[in-house]
Amino acid sequence: MLALLAFIPILITLILMMFFNWPAKWSLLVSLGLSIVFGFFFWHIPIGELFAGVVYGMMNSADVLIIITGAILLMNTLKASGATAAINRGFMNICPDKRVQACIIGFTFCSFIEAAAGFGTPAALAGPLLVCLGFPPMAAAMITLIFDSTAVSFGAVGTPVTAALGALGKSGDVAFTSQFAFWTALPHAIVSIFLPLIVLMMTTKIFGKEKSFKPALAAAPFALFTGVSFAVPLLLISIFIGYEFASLLASLFAIVATVIAAKCKFLVPKTTWDFGNADEWDKEWLATSKVTPVAESKMSLIKAWVPYLLISLILVITRIPQLGVKNLLTSGAPFVVSVNNLFGIDKLDWSLKWAYLPGTFFIIVALITWFYHKMNKGEVVSAIKDTGKQISGAALALLFGLALVEIMKYKNGAGVSMMDEMANALAMVGQELYVLISPFIGVLGAFVSGSATVSMNLFTNLQYETASALDLPTVFIISMQCVGAAVGNMVCINNAVAASATIGVTGREGKLIKRNAIPMLIYTLITVAIFYIVLALGIEPNIALLK
């Protein structure tokens, strides 16, 4: 009975979003209200403690909100200053082969935008660029949505991982964090080697005039090179430097490597391939609404990239312990704001390392960019207003979502929480079956919420408690949840809507999601296979502590 009640708030969230098209913020608010009622009447949690739990959960959203605000402000600043247009122009002159362009812009550039900004921005930025280069709008939407997956777990400078660690109360647990980063990076690294080729095969089969895999296979060497150029740095950086900028530095390396390779015609197919005469394209491939063209900009490419490079440099300096900056920024006041025993409850200790958050650096670099790019007042105001509009919905969703999670993991006087009841129920499926289920829970969270971060907030504790009940290595299951949450971006409703609207194929989101379900399943099942093998071989999680 209690297990069924515990599942109801989560199920209500899914039903309201999937079948009634409610926004995540209002769906989560309803579920939060239900969890408070259930907590009071069935778990016998005092009303004062429930109130404290809601406030504590909302306070825990501060770090994620700062990251989101900074990332989106920087993105809008670069768009308003003309830097984004300059970056787009630079990509247009690399190579005429559409397969090569798909690898460089669709995979490496999309991954970089995901790493730096995240939250649905990659497809919205890279998609229109591919259309301007001569890609059918539907092809551009499919390519960018599929590629916006591999970098997501460490996207927005590691926000999904940061959110999971915060939800588990393990933000300061170095050993767990190292293991979590490694086992999350490993499946991404393995699949990302082949993902560019898989996407090219789908592209040439569906949108090519030959309707064949052969053009994609002809570009296999360059596609595999693209995947390796991202996969190897991703894995090494996650082990030896830190998860926060694993995707950021890996994608930067991949951009440089693939651009140089394309310029030098290294592994580039001898015959240039494109989509044929646009007049002969299937009507389904075309835009259903007018697309705003990429704006012109006279800004130099180097000047346009400086803010991103500055972000990368700051993150490296602040994340390497040996340099001493990390210890300074996390040592205490004034760089850390903390509240102990919130409302007199000894288990509610809260802290905010505001000076160490990537979002703080995003905001600082955005401010510097206003002057460096000589933006006028109107451009600055436009960037700020756009940022406010974009973060409002996400802010409420995170506030209500984290409050919901806190109530559901709050233990009553008997030491039992709603999460405990849910975990015990799921544990009945057994170890072997749960390993298969685990990443799909992450996919489901991202699919309905539109965010890997929200998926982590919703289900990390559930996965952790279930893994504990089944005597499975908790870090393996949390990593599978994180990979699933990232892969869910391929079929995420919100991302499909945003990308379709930006590229001009509104009304065809269902077809996009249906097509993208194929690589999503491949990606997720490979992840499951990896962990089945790891568990069968008896490999311990602490392999991540190689450093």
Side-chain angles (χ1 to χ4, degrees):
M1 174 64 179
L2 286 179
L4 178 61
L5 288 173
F7 274 107
I8 286 178
I10 298 296
L11 292 174
I12 288 295
T13 300
L14 302 181
I15 291 170
L16 290 176
M17 293 179 68
M18 292 178 67
F19 298 103
F20 293 93
N21 296 318
W22 279 36
K25 55 186 178 183
W26 304 129
S27 304
L28 289 167
L29 177 60
V30 171
S31 296
L32 172 61
L34 280 174
S35 69
I36 292 172
V37 172
F38 291 167
F40 180 75
F41 285 105
F42 298 100
W43 273 263
H44 308 294
I45 302 173
I47 193 67
E49 292 188 21
L50 286 169
F51 174 77
V54 169
V55 174
Y56 181 72
M58 289 184 173
M59 290 173 67
N60 280 335
S61 69
D63 52 354
V64 179
L65 286 174
I66 291 173
I67 294 173
I68 293 174
T69 302
I72 295 177
L73 177 62
L74 179 61
M75 179 195 73
N76 287 327
T77 294
L78 295 178
K79 286 173 66 177
S81 73
T84 299
I87 291 171
N88 289 355
R89 186 185 67 242
F91 278 124
M92 289 182 183
N93 301 317
I94 296 170
C95 178
D97 194 300
K98 302 306 177 192
R99 296 164 297 184
V100 174
Q101 291 175 351
C103 289
I104 296 175
I105 300 169
F107 184 63
T108 66
F109 185 58
C110 243
S111 296
F112 178 78
I113 297 300
E114 175 60 45
F119 302 101
T121 58
L125 287 177
L129 175 56
L130 290 178
V131 172
C132 290
L133 290 173
F135 282 65
M138 278 294 284
M142 182 193 77
I143 291 167
T144 52
L145 280 173
I146 295 173
F147 279 141
D148 187 19
S149 54
T150 304
V152 169
S153 290
F154 304 130
V157 200
T159 302
V161 172
T162 300
L165 292 171
L168 292 170
K170 292 183 176 290
S171 297
D173 190 332
V174 176
F176 186 88
T177 300
S178 298
Q179 296 165 20
F180 184 16
F182 174 81
W183 291 109
T184 300
L186 182 63
H188 282 313
I190 292 173
V191 180
S192 66
I193 294 174
F194 305 99
L195 189 62
L197 179 57
I198 292 171
V199 173
L200 290 188
M201 292 173 67
M202 291 181 65
T203 301
T204 59
K205 179 67 175 178
I206 298 171
F207 300 99
K209 51 184 177 292
E210 308 90 345
K211 302 292 183 184
S212 170
F213 293 133
K214 289 183 179 179
L217 296 175
F222 190 88
L224 293 172
F225 171 77
T226 301
V228 170
S229 68
F230 177 85
V232 174
L234 181 78
L235 195 58
L236 293 177
I237 293 165
S238 69
I239 295 173
F240 296 105
I241 299 179
Y243 73 86
E244 294 99 326
F245 42 92
S247 289
L248 187 74
L249 297 182
S251 57
L252 270 176
F253 180 87
I255 287 173
V256 173
T258 52
V259 167
I260 292 175
K263 286 285 189 181
C264 297
K265 299 190 182 302
F266 176 68
L267 300 178
V268 173
K270 294 181 179 180
T271 304
T272 300
W273 182 88
D274 61 28
F275 294 94
N277 190 338
D279 294 333
E280 299 175 359
W281 289 351
D282 191 309
K283 291 182 179 180
E284 182 193 292
W285 305 356
L286 304 176
T288 57
S289 58
K290 185 177 180 180
V291 182
T292 303
V294 176
E296 294 294 329
S297 174
K298 295 181 180 179
M299 185 181 295
S300 71
L301 195 57
I302 294 176
K303 189 174 183 178
W305 274 97
V306 163
Y308 284 130
L309 297 175
L310 185 58
I311 283 289
S312 302
L313 178 63
I314 292 173
L315 290 172
V316 170
I317 293 172
T318 57
R319 263 56 186 176
I320 298 178
Q322 290 80 358
L323 298 179
V325 179
K326 177 179 180 178
N327 293 333
L328 174 66
L329 298 181
T330 59
S331 59
F335 302 115
V336 179
V337 179
S338 59
V339 178
N340 294 325
N341 301 330
L342 184 66
F343 297 109
I345 301 173
D346 57 11
K347 55 186 173 182
L348 296 184
D349 294 331
W350 175 83
S351 66
L352 176 67
K353 299 175 182 177
W354 66 269
Y356 183 69
L357 289 175
T360 302
F361 305 137
F362 287 155
I363 293 171
I364 292 172
V365 171
L367 295 175
I368 293 172
T369 303
W370 294 352
F371 297 98
Y372 179 62
H373 287 177
K374 298 179 181 179
M375 296 173 63
N376 59 44
K377 183 179 178 180
E379 292 170 338
V380 171
V381 170
S382 174
I384 294 174
K385 284 185 176 180
D386 288 345
T387 300
K389 292 176 183 177
Q390 289 172 263
I391 66 171
S392 58
L396 287 174
L398 283 167
L399 285 170
F400 298 148
L402 282 169
L404 170 64
V405 169
E406 188 58 37
I407 294 301
M408 297 194 73
K409 72 176 186 178
Y410 200 95
K411 295 184 182 296
N412 60 15
V416 179
S417 68
M418 295 184 198
M419 285 289 182
D420 293 332
E421 296 288 354
M422 294 168 69
N424 291 334
L426 285 172
M428 295 176 67
V429 304
Q431 284 187 340
E432 290 77 11
L433 185 57
Y434 192 76
V435 173
L436 173 62
I437 293 173
S438 179
F440 285 99
I441 294 175
V443 170
L444 180 64
F447 172 74
V448 297
S449 71
S451 167
T453 300
V454 173
S455 179
M456 298 306 291
N457 284 330
L458 285 174
F459 296 125
T460 294
N461 279 279
L462 172 64
Q463 298 260 30
Y464 187 91
E465 296 295 337
T466 306
S468 299
L470 288 171
D471 197 28
L472 286 165
T474 54
V475 72
F476 285 168
I477 299 302
I478 299 303
S479 296
M480 293 178 77
Q481 155 71 25
C482 196
V483 173
V487 177
N489 274 253
M490 294 184 187
V491 292
C492 162
I493 298 172
N494 290 4
N495 284 1
V497 171
S500 297
T502 307
I503 298 170
V505 290
T506 300
R508 295 182 180 150
E509 295 86 356
K511 291 182 179 179
L512 273 176
I513 292 173
K514 184 177 179 180
R515 281 177 180 157
N516 291 2
I518 297 171
M520 179 274 289
L521 285 170
I522 293 172
Y523 207 130
T524 308
L525 291 174
I526 291 175
T527 300
V528 170
I530 291 169
F531 281 96
Y532 269 132
I533 293 170
V534 168
L535 289 168
L537 294 176
I539 298 174
E540 295 295 324
N542 62 8
I543 190 173
L545 300 179
L546 293 171
K547 58 183 178 180

